[in-house]
Amino acid sequence: NPNYTEAALNLAVTYNDLGRYEEAKKIYSAAMSRKSEAPGQLDPFVQGKIANLHAQVAKAYGDAGMITEAMHELRKAVLLCPHFADLRLRLANLYRQQGDLDSAKFELEESIKQKPQYVPAHVALGVVLLAMGNNTGASQAWNEALEHDPGNKAAQMYLRMSKSPG
C-alpha cells in the first residue's frame, strides 16, 4: 500500500540502519510528499488507528453499562472507517439491544456490503430480521452464513429453532 505512511517510514528507518541511505531518503521523501498532497486528510492507517481507539472507548462504556455513550463512540469509529465490518456489527448489536431494529438492520446490511463473507453479520442480520417478524428473511440470512461457513454453530442453531414448532 503506497499510502501506508507508517510502513514507509519504518522501511526508510530500516534502509537507513542497513546503510542504504539513498533508498531511505527516496522512500522518506515519497512518504512526506504523499502526506502534503492531501493536507487535512488523515492517512488511512491513522484513520484506522483512531477508529479502533473509539471502538476501545465504546467497549469501556459498554462494560460500564453506558450504552448511549458506547453507541456514540462506535458511530464515530464507523464515520472514520465505514468499511470496518466488525465495527458496524458491534454498533448494530447495540442498536438491537436498545430496540432500534431498523438502525441495526441498516448497519448489518452495510457491514455485509463491505465484507460479503462476514458470517457474524449474516447471523446477526437473521436475528434482527426474526425480531422484526421477517422469518423468511431471517432464514435466508442464516443460510447465507452457512454458505460461507457450513459449520457455523450459531447459524445452524437459529435455523433449527426457526423451523421447530412452538
Side-chain angles (χ1 to χ4, degrees), residues 120-141:
H122 289 284
V123 173
L125 180 59
V127 172
V128 168
L129 291 172
L130 184 65
M132 295 174 95
N134 183 348
N135 296 6
T136 303
S139 292
Q140 288 172 341

Side-chain angles (χ1 to χ4, degrees), residues 51-65:
N52 285 327
L53 288 171
H54 282 296
Q56 288 175 3
V57 171
K59 181 170 178 7
Y61 276 129
D63 290 348

Side-chain angles (χ1 to χ4, degrees), residues 66-141:
M66 300 171 73
I67 302 304
T68 302
E69 291 80 359
M71 292 170 70
H72 181 70
E73 290 298 322
L74 280 172
R75 281 191 291 269
K76 285 192 221 176
V78 167
L79 283 172
L80 281 169
C81 292
H83 56 285
F84 282 16
D86 62 319
L87 296 179
R88 287 188 176 277
L89 171 65
R90 289 177 55 191
L91 181 56
N93 285 336
L94 292 178
Y95 277 129
R96 183 180 50 79
Q97 289 173 19
Q98 296 298 102
D100 187 350
L101 299 178
D102 289 326
S103 294
K105 180 177 176 265
F106 172 80
E107 291 299 337
L108 292 166
E109 288 170 342
E110 289 299 309
S111 177
I112 291 167
K113 279 183 198 171
Q114 295 300 321
K115 194 172 177 185
Q117 296 181 346
Y118 189 45
V119 172
H122 289 284
V123 173
L125 180 59
V127 172
V128 168
L129 291 172
L130 184 65
M132 295 174 95
N134 183 348
N135 296 6
T136 303
S139 292
Q140 288 172 341

